[in-house]
Amino acid sequence: MTFRQRTFVYAQTRKKMKKYLLTIALAAVAAALRAESWIRINQLGYLPKATKVAVLMSQESIALENAEVVDAFTGNVVQKIGGRRIKACGRLGKMQSTYRLDFSALQKPGTYRLRAAGAESPVFPVNGTVYYGTADFLLSYMREQRCGWNPVFGDSCHQWDAFITNHPTKNGQRLDVRGGWHDAGDCLQYTATSANAIYQMMAAYQQFPAAFGDVCQANGTRGSNGIPDVVDEIRWGLDWLNRMNPEKGELYNQIADDRDHVGMRRPHDDPADYGWGAGKGRPVYFCDGKPQQRGQFLNATEGVASTAGKFAADFALGSQILRPFDPTLAETIGRKAADAYAVGVEKPGCCQTVSVRSPYIYEERNWVDDMELGAAELYRMTGDAKYLADAVAYGRQETVTPWMGKDTARHYQWYPFMNMGHYQIAQLGDGHARKEFVAHMRAGIEAVWQRAQGTPFLYGIPSIWCSNNLTTAMLTQCILYRRLTGDRRYEEMEGALRDWLFGCNPWGVSMVVDLPLSGNYPRQAHQAIVKLALGTARGGLVDGPVYASIFNSLRGVYLAPDARGLSNNYEMFQPDNMVYHDNIHDYSTNEPTMDGTAALIFPLAAYAEEGRAQLRADADRNVYVNGGIVRTNPQLKRICLVFTAADRADGADYIIPTLRQKGVKGGFFFTGEFYEKFPQVIRRLVRDGHYVGSHSYGHLLYSTWENRDSMLVTQEEFQRDMLKSYALMRQFGISKEDAPFFIPPYEHYNELVSSWARRMGLRVINFTPGTGSNADYTIPSMKNYRSSQTLMDNLLRYEATQPGGLNGHFLMLHFGTHPDRTDKFYKHLPQLIDTLRQRGYQFVSVREALGMGR
């Protein structure tokens, strides 16, 4: 496209935007006048067979008797909600009325919104793909937290790590413990949280491998390396954990301490001074099983078992996970697992972290759960029945993780926040052990269930520091229990916990940064990358709400506005006894945590797998760019022909007969103008069984050519345009369910557009770059003009020279071109099809290429 053409498109788009402005302004005023009720939903959407409960909150005292679910595309009411499916839950903060709206009976895939008491929810999808890619998305934050080489900052940090502290004979010696992850918004590193993070990721991959993709190298930079990204992250963590156990019986618990807290900075610019010079050495604390320095006080360390059990579990399971990918490291840590466990047997008790200046540490007090899991994984690795007997004995000492059902707990007092050892014994043990430990799992869930009764969000989690981590832990326990037993009695609470994390909470906010990008999520996370305006804490799970009494007691937390005005303190929506603030200065509710983020990967992987099973679909092997699919499975020698058009159809009488003669089903993506100008062409394509979809209605340019992230349209404008497009398509018998994939206008989009589309139950696809076939629109007067012979030669040369050739390609041609282009590339279509078939390619439809059937 020439500069003049781009300028014209830009101007036209701006004119269309101006027409919307008055309507938007009036709608905003009207919304403000009636903004007395809100409907909270899961912003990601819902799996068809999942529980679905929204919450209505109203500033007024209302008696709600009915609500309705509306198809967002047709405007039709598809379900009325009433009777026992509406449950009054009373007052909540400034909200005089709250109601639970149960629409679980809605299982038909589609895009909907809820209406009740004059309020409308945002649109949301119901389909089997709503959790696709979300587990991998959280790995973005894990990569951002890497210590050593950091792929987000593009530099290395803490290369002097570390100097031994509290060891009887090695104090001051340097031990190479580079690597691992920074714990949260600071640069501290803990074995407890890191080991739990590793285990949660391993459990997710072990059970749901198809939920994970491969778009990054081992060092975290972009590019496939043939290893699932989650395994790359697991290996990164296990390599560090291996360094933290350099010799038999020598375990380390922590790198750095609260002297780290000298302001937000890039990790490689760390000025903290621990006595070896600013930014030079940091201490690494040896686990000696004795109380260690805690400012004026000593911590309450009693032994080493809480740390040793975590080492043992990670090393035992990690040796199995890594064996196909890194057999050397797998063998090394496998040998260390039993020795680490033996340290815990020798030195029972908890091992707490250390602080020097502040009163805040991880006050872990339990340890039998760690030894239980370590023993269970050693049994799995070795088959030695002694370990299983040990696991059962340890498990009987703490049948329920103590915070469950309680109102409060100290910071990380009962950690990990759920006991994976109970689940492993229920899986690995005999019938008696299975029954006993399933009962223990159920008892913990029941305690939280009872505490949740009567609350509008069915939320029984205590609002202590890192409450979202507890929420994730209970969600995981619910999933494991349901999948293990088939007992669905707690499914409503499972859904409430899941939905709480993604927007069905008093504040209507997803607790994961940038997920979904189309929704409301933390914009001002307490993280250096945000403070320095270098990016977001993408994929990070923030701490979550705390009791107001906790927030008011903390040092150094305040709610001053940020420079860019992005903070939201949610004064209107704060419940009586808890608070959440999207404010960079609130480290108690809005700081992402590495271990909480890693733990949430398990539930998201589970839901992705359950959605895939409901679709009866293969694992998602598509290749994504900016959230859109640009290539289907690159392992398959298949090609999908796609055609786009805005206002020209000169290729119709050549392309349609050619495809019919060759037995090829193509994908056709048209603007609203095309549908209106060429209805007979649309009917011919539909009659021949081709995929006929949208190219938008108004052919809007979504973002500038110069900066893909500089938007020219709003989410509301995008939604209106797409709704208009699909309304027109319905006149030809094409529903949104028939054609959920669309190619953006100008084949130009970004991550935000992809997220907007997913929110509507749509998915972006685009041509696979590289062949240059999309340049068939060029005319001789253009500098980038390509003749049809040049296009054909370039395409076939690309196929012959590129690894994987055209496997999985969306090969795009234009359905019509400018009259000045007399050399029509579509007239080479027979030759193109024949040649590529001779080279072994199969031509498939859009639906088949994307795993939707023929």
Side-chain angles (χ1 to χ4, degrees):
M1 183 174 290
T2 65
F3 176 78
R4 180 177 296 177
Q5 289 173 312
R6 290 184 179 184
T7 303
F8 175 76
V9 169
Y10 180 91
Q12 291 297 105
T13 301
R14 298 306 301 175
K15 288 180 182 178
K16 292 173 184 177
M17 286 181 66
K18 288 179 180 178
K19 291 180 181 179
Y20 287 129
L21 290 180
L22 180 60
T23 303
I24 294 169
L26 292 174
V29 171
L33 292 174
R34 68 171 188 271
E36 298 175 341
S37 298
W38 295 264
I39 299 175
R40 301 307 197 198
I41 59 164
N42 182 329
Q43 297 178 85
L44 284 176
Y46 303 87
L47 296 176
K49 295 181 181 179
T51 56
K52 306 173 188 71
V53 181
V55 175
L56 172 78
M57 310 189 309
S58 179
Q59 290 178 284
E60 297 182 333
S61 180
I62 61 173
L64 185 68
E65 295 183 354
N66 57 73
E68 55 190 22
V69 184
V70 179
D71 186 306
F73 279 79
T74 66
N76 297 332
V77 175
V78 298
Q79 185 186 60
K80 290 189 176 293
I81 307 170
R84 291 187 298 177
R85 290 181 295 168
I86 294 182
K87 183 178 181 180
C89 297
R91 181 180 165 276
L92 183 72
K94 295 179 181 179
M95 302 298 130
Q96 300 303 308
S97 305
T98 61
Y99 288 87
R100 290 181 62 76
L101 312 177
D102 187 345
F103 59 106
S104 301
L106 177 69
Q107 296 192 1
K108 181 180 179 181
T111 306
Y112 305 97
R113 66 172 76 244
L114 287 158
R115 290 201 299 234
E120 282 193 348
S121 74
V123 298
F124 57 86
V126 174
N127 63 56
T129 68
V130 292
Y131 289 97
Y132 275 23
T134 55
D136 274 336
F137 188 85
L138 269 60
L139 293 175
S140 300
Y141 184 71
M142 300 302 293
R143 290 188 285 268
E144 183 179 309
Q145 292 301 102
R146 285 192 182 190
C147 186
W149 166 255
N150 187 295
V152 175
F153 292 99
D155 208 335
S156 296
C157 64
H158 303 117
Q159 293 299 290
W160 292 81
D161 281 351
F163 292 92
I164 295 173
T165 301
N166 287 347
H167 192 282
T169 62
K170 295 184 177 181
N171 271 0
Q173 294 183 24
R174 183 171 179 268
L175 176 66
D176 186 357
V177 285
R178 292 173 295 173
W181 302 285
H182 302 133
D183 198 54
D186 50 33
C187 292
L188 280 73
Q189 296 177 255
Y190 301 104
T191 295
T193 53
S194 297
N196 185 45
I198 295 166
Y199 190 89
Q200 294 289 337
M201 290 190 290
M202 289 193 295
Y205 176 71
Q206 183 183 48
Q207 293 203 30
F208 314 112
F212 299 97
D214 171 27
V215 299
C216 286
Q217 301 284 335
N219 68 0
T221 56
R222 297 288 294 186
S224 172
N225 66 345
I227 299 174
D229 293 339
V230 70
V231 176
D232 284 330
E233 214 59 35
I234 289 166
R235 189 201 174 283
W236 181 267
L238 285 171
D239 177 73
W240 177 79
L241 202 64
N242 179 47
R243 294 165 185 257
M244 294 288 278
N245 176 204
E247 302 290 342
K248 182 177 180 179
E250 188 176 342
L251 307 179
Y252 291 85
N253 199 48
Q254 174 179 336
I255 297 177
D257 53 49
D258 58 336
R259 286 173 286 180
D260 164 275
H261 297 167
V262 289
M264 289 187 174
R265 70 282 187 187
R266 296 179 299 180
H268 53 277
D269 294 332
D270 189 355
D273 190 341
Y274 296 88
W276 294 282
K280 293 294 179 70
R282 302 194 297 171
V284 57
Y285 287 87
F286 174 66
C287 299
D288 60 4
K290 303 173 185 178
Q292 296 182 351
Q293 182 177 6
R294 186 183 167 189
Q296 305 174 50
F297 312 100
L298 296 177
N299 64 21
T301 292
E302 300 169 340
V304 181
S306 61
T307 297
K310 294 181 179 74
F311 270 103
D314 277 13
F315 284 166
L317 180 56
S319 68
Q320 300 167 68
I321 296 290
L322 289 187
R323 189 170 294 124
F325 307 103
D326 188 341
T328 301
L329 180 57
E331 182 182 358
T332 298
I333 61 177
R335 288 198 308 267
K336 289 184 174 184
D339 290 339
Y341 178 79
V343 174
V345 173
E346 179 185 349
K347 297 180 179 180
C350 63
C351 183
Q352 295 187 347
T353 63
V354 174
S355 66
V356 175
R357 295 172 177 168
S358 73
Y360 307 133
I361 63 167
Y362 290 151
E363 302 178 56
E364 188 173 0
R365 293 308 301 265
N366 58 341
W367 55 274
V368 293
D369 55 336
D370 298 301
M371 292 297 287
E372 175 189 356
L373 182 58
E377 290 298 348
L378 278 164
Y379 171 69
R380 187 207 303 272
M381 183 180 78
T382 67
D384 187 340
K386 169 190 175 298
Y387 289 119
L388 182 58
D390 282 359
V392 170
Y394 282 122
R396 286 172 176 164
Q397 295 181 53
E398 186 178 281
T399 58
V400 173
T401 303
W403 71 262
M404 295 179 181
K406 302 297 191 299
D407 292 332
T408 191
R410 302 287 294 174
H411 190 41
Y412 278 60
Q413 183 177 7
W414 311 117
Y415 188 77
F417 297 120
M418 58 85 60
N419 189 345
M420 290 291 285
H422 284 2
Y423 171 73
Q424 297 299 351
I425 293 173
Q427 271 200 316
L428 298 169
D430 58 19
H432 178 75
R434 175 186 173 92
K435 183 177 180 180
E436 177 184 352
F437 281 84
V438 162
H440 296 333
M441 294 176 67
R442 184 170 60 247
I445 297 171
E446 178 68 23
V448 176
W449 165 261
Q450 291 297 333
R451 192 171 183 274
Q453 295 308 296
T455 62
F457 294 94
L458 199 62
Y459 190 68
I461 306 297
S463 297
I464 58 176
W465 213 343
C466 297
S467 62
N468 279 342
N469 295 15
L470 275 67
T471 302
T472 299
M474 179 48 58
L475 174 59
T476 299
Q477 186 153 322
C478 287
I479 293 169
L480 290 171
Y481 175 80
R482 170 174 56 83
R483 292 176 65 90
L484 187 65
T485 67
D487 182 354
R488 309 185 83 89
R489 77 180 82 175
Y490 301 109
E491 195 167 23
E492 184 182 359
M493 186 176 76
E494 177 191 329
L497 296 168
R498 173 197 67 220
D499 298 346
W500 174 277
L501 293 172
F502 294 103
C504 192
N505 54 52
W507 311 275
V509 61
S510 167
M511 296 293 176
V512 178
V513 177
D514 289 351
L515 186 64
L517 206 58
S518 60
N520 182 32
Y521 53 83
R523 260 70 174 181
Q524 284 289 289
H526 182 81
Q527 194 89 8
I529 197 170
V530 179
K531 175 71 172 178
L532 300 174
L534 298 173
T536 68
R538 165 158 289 198
L541 174 69
V542 298
D543 290 316
V546 298
Y547 291 123
S549 58
I550 292 178
F551 176 76
N552 293 329
S553 71
L554 293 174
R555 298 181 180 182
V557 65
Y558 59 102
L559 299 178
D562 64 278
R564 292 180 292 171
L566 297 178
S567 296
N568 191 337
N569 293 330
Y570 294 105
E571 290 90 348
M572 175 70 71
F573 303 110
Q574 302 294 1
D576 293 321
N577 64 340
M578 71 171 85
V579 295
Y580 166 76
H581 311 103
D582 183 10
N583 193 301
I584 196 168
H585 306 293
D586 183 359
Y587 62 79
S588 66
T589 74
N590 209 38
E591 181 175 7
T593 63
M594 177 274 298
D595 60 317
T597 300
L600 185 55
I601 289 172
F602 184 94
L604 293 182
Y607 291 132
E609 172 62 21
E610 290 179 7
R612 188 184 68 81
Q614 290 176 26
L615 286 171
R616 298 179 182 177
D618 295 331
D620 185 0
R621 296 293 180 246
N622 299 314
V623 177
Y624 291 80
V625 172
N626 292 322
I629 301 172
V630 300
R631 189 175 188 176
T632 62
N633 191 339
Q635 303 302 314
L636 301 179
K637 210 169 176 66
R638 303 195 307 190
I639 295 171
C640 180
L641 289 175
V642 294
F643 303 83
T644 63
D647 57 0
R648 293 189 175 93
D650 50 275
D653 290 337
Y654 195 89
I655 294 170
I656 296 174
T658 296
L659 295 181
R660 187 184 305 125
Q661 179 187 6
K662 299 294 183 181
V664 173
K665 301 298 183 187
F668 295 83
F669 301 85
F670 302 132
T671 63
E673 181 180 1
F674 189 99
Y675 277 91
E676 291 166 345
K677 285 179 66 174
F678 306 108
Q680 293 304 319
V681 172
I682 302 297
R683 294 189 180 98
R684 289 170 64 188
L685 291 168
V686 171
R687 188 168 56 246
D688 281 2
H690 296 290
Y691 181 102
V692 184
S694 177
H695 196 40
S696 81
Y697 178 82
H699 209 224
L700 303 179
L701 183 64
Y702 294 148
S703 62
T704 65
W705 294 107
E706 295 76 18
N707 180 4
R708 192 179 293 271
D709 292 327
S710 180
M711 300 304 299
L712 297 174
V713 298
T714 66
Q715 185 172 1
E716 292 75 16
E717 291 165 351
F718 172 82
Q719 287 186 355
R720 279 196 295 270
D721 182 76
M722 295 306 295
L723 290 173
K724 195 171 182 180
S725 174
Y726 278 86
L728 185 56
M729 289 163 60
R730 282 197 300 277
Q731 297 178 20
F732 297 90
I734 305 167
S735 70
K736 191 265 291 183
E737 287 66 41
D738 294 326
F741 296 91
F742 80 101
I743 293 182
Y746 306 101
E747 296 78 53
H748 187 69
Y749 67 101
N750 58 24
E751 277 190 298
L752 186 57
V753 170
S754 296
S755 185
W756 290 349
R758 290 190 69 156
R759 188 70 171 266
M760 297 182 72
L762 304 174
R763 301 289 294 277
V764 169
I765 65 172
N766 204 9
F767 69 87
T768 308
T771 67
S773 66
N774 57 302
D776 63 339
Y777 72 92
T778 56
I779 59 177
S781 60
M782 293 180 176
K783 290 183 178 180
N784 63 334
Y785 173 70
R786 298 289 184 274
S787 70
S788 293
Q789 189 59 55
T790 297
L791 292 173
M792 179 68 80
D793 291 343
N794 289 346
L795 189 157
L796 295 178
R797 185 182 306 111
Y798 182 92
E799 187 279 329
T801 59
Q802 291 298 310
L806 301 183
N807 290 3
H809 269 234
F810 287 118
L811 192 59
M812 194 187 98
L813 285 75
H814 286 87
F815 196 67
T817 60
H818 193 279
D820 287 356
R821 184 179 182 101
T822 58
D823 178 20
K824 306 291 188 179
F825 187 51
Y826 55 71
K827 292 190 175 180
H828 294 253
L829 194 56
Q831 176 193 353
L832 179 64
I833 293 172
D834 291 344
T835 301
L836 293 176
R837 277 178 167 166
Q838 290 170 7
R839 296 189 181 188
Y841 291 96
Q842 177 187 7
F843 286 86
V844 297
S845 69
V846 171
R847 300 181 67 87
E848 189 174 358
L850 293 167
M852 298 172 61
R854 294 178 183 273

